[in-house]
Amino acid sequence: MLTDFFLYIAQGTAVTIGVTLVALPFGLAVGLLLALLYNYGGRWVSRAAGLYSLLMRGVPPVVLLFILYFILSGRLINLSPFWAGSLSLGLVSSAYQMEILRGALAAVGAGQMTAARAIGLTRLQAIRFVILPQAIRLAIPPWSNEASIVLKDSSLVYALGVPEILRRAQQLSATTGQPFLAFGAAALIYFALVFLTNRALDSLAERTKLPTQPV
Amino acid sequence: MDSALILQARNLTKRYGANIIFQDISLDVQKGETIVIIGPSGTGKSTLLRCLNLLTHVDSGQIFLEGEEITAPGINEDRVRQQIGMVFQNFLLFNHLTALDNVMLGLTKVRKLPKPQAHEKAMHELARVGLADRAGHYPGQLSGGQQQRVAIARALAMDPKVMLFDEPTSALDPELIGEVLGVMAQLARENMTMLVVTHEMGFAREVADRIVFMEKGHIVEQGAPDDLFERPQHARTREFLWKITELYGKKEKK
């Protein structure tokens, strides 16, 4: 009975991980593009990217999720709840990831661009081979934070009927009358996932750290 | 030294808003010549160098590299910069790359050399600045002097026609200045064409073929080091040289 109980919630874990694995990389791709446009795109493009970020970050994620969901699963585009929910979550995250990346790009400093152009690299080559590899290193710690937020916010797609951890916990709580056990199990799984994600990204940051000590 | 004109600046003017950085600067650089540009801070020396390799654009005037106007509209600026090496005050090595990869990047991405040839050429340039044994080190693992020598190797790897040095020793501890100036003096002996902005008067006097004194956006006076140091024509040149020699002398005694 108890194993069935846990098994039922654990099956939602795969869905939660699935939602995160769609939302996070999608948000990264959009966020990176926007960060590059913001930093290197000229005045109007930069302003447009800034406005996007401002709007997306100024509204609660769950409200945006509903709006985007009804666009993505509407008459024009008709995606399944899983895909519509995951991509919506990704778009919400893209604004936050953009902020992380544009800060990291700026932190690399204008001098690196100057030095790259001085040996004849084009702007795009300079961004690709000189600026980005350094910016991404700087972005890993704040990005790790955003990754755990997306992982936890994936519980919001529960409202769209996607059978992830929280929705299953809710169902179990209702059918078994054991809310503490049901939501406690959900909390435990979320915690474990966030913990593992942060640990993995910490170790990535450690492994890509640039040496500064004399050899 | 043959007297072929390699770089020619004609009536260059640069403004930032209403602020005139330099005005009506003309300068002819002969192949193999070492020119040292001196003058007070904020005189437009660094901006002039950055204009010469098109990192910044002049508001008016023309620049010619081996007779070709590089300020002409539609010029491929990346190709021009590739032919003019630049060394910066704060080194600006690519921090995520080893010394070797810093030197190789331009060879593989700009000159499109195959990896083995780029590696060989990069090692040759590192050896030229005395750092072949530091090839695998990251900038964070090198001293300031070593970083600047890697930066010189990175510029040399592109086989530039002219090398620009923008206060290359100003950010260095006094005991590290010598190794960088040594590499530069060696380049001058190898007849590299060089434009050097510096406050190192000893270097200017010994290595330069010509010294240009700039102040307030103008070239006040230029000439051979001995003429300029012994018989400056303008009062301002005299005053500046006296001040800076005084300063330099004091630093030496410390």
Side-chain angles (χ1 to χ4, degrees), chain B residues 71-91:
Chain B
T71 39
I75 197 94
N76 182 342
E77 297 192 352
D78 296 318
R79 195 177 53 79
V80 171
R81 287 195 202 98
Q82 183 185 335
Q83 301 175 71
I84 303 179
M86 182 138 189
V87 174
F88 303 89
Q89 181 175 349
N90 42 357
F91 329 136

Side-chain angles (χ1 to χ4, degrees), chain A residues 108 111-123 125 128-131 133-134 137 210-215, chain B residues 50 53 55 78 81-82 84 86 88 92-97 102 105-106 109-110 112 137-138 140-141 154-155 158:
Chain A
V108 171
Q112 292 285 313
M113 176 60 92
T114 306
R117 299 307 299 277
I119 56 170
L121 290 171
T122 65
R123 221 162 124 87
Q125 283 179 318
R128 180 167 162 210
F129 299 118
V130 176
I131 310 292
Q134 298 183 61
R137 281 181 171 85
L210 294 170
T212 50
Q213 293 304 309
V215 180
Chain B
R50 294 169 75 95
N53 76 341
L55 283 174
D78 296 318
R81 287 195 202 98
Q82 183 185 335
I84 303 179
M86 182 138 189
F88 303 89
L92 297 179
L93 287 183
F94 307 133
N95 294 314
H96 63 303
L97 298 177
N102 262 278
L105 189 68
K109 304 302 177 196
V110 179
K112 314 274 184 207
H137 287 48
Y138 284 87
Q141 298 172 307
R154 177 176 68 181
M158 306 307 286

Side-chain angles (χ1 to χ4, degrees), chain B residues 4 12 18 21 35 56 63 67 72 78 112 136 146 151 166 174 184 223:
Chain B
L12 302 183
I21 307 301
I35 297 179
T56 308
I63 304 168
D78 296 318
K112 314 274 184 207
Q146 290 171 336
D166 184 9
M184 290 166 63

Side-chain angles (χ1 to χ4, degrees), chain A residues 9-47:
Chain A
I9 292 185
Q11 279 166 353
T13 309
V15 179
T16 291
I17 292 174
V19 169
T20 308
L21 285 182
V22 172
L24 205 53
F26 178 62
L28 178 61
V30 176
L32 178 60
L33 182 70
L34 288 168
L36 290 172
L37 290 176
Y38 185 92
N39 278 33
Y40 303 108
R43 196 207 290 189
W44 291 105
V45 173
S46 173
R47 280 192 186 173

Side-chain angles (χ1 to χ4, degrees), chain B residues 226-242:
Chain B
D226 284 344
D227 289 339
L228 210 85
F229 275 96
E230 305 298 339
R231 295 170 290 279
Q233 299 300 305
H234 292 261
R236 272 305 294 145
T237 317
R238 208 157 30 235
E239 208 177 309
F240 176 78
L241 284 173
W242 186 82

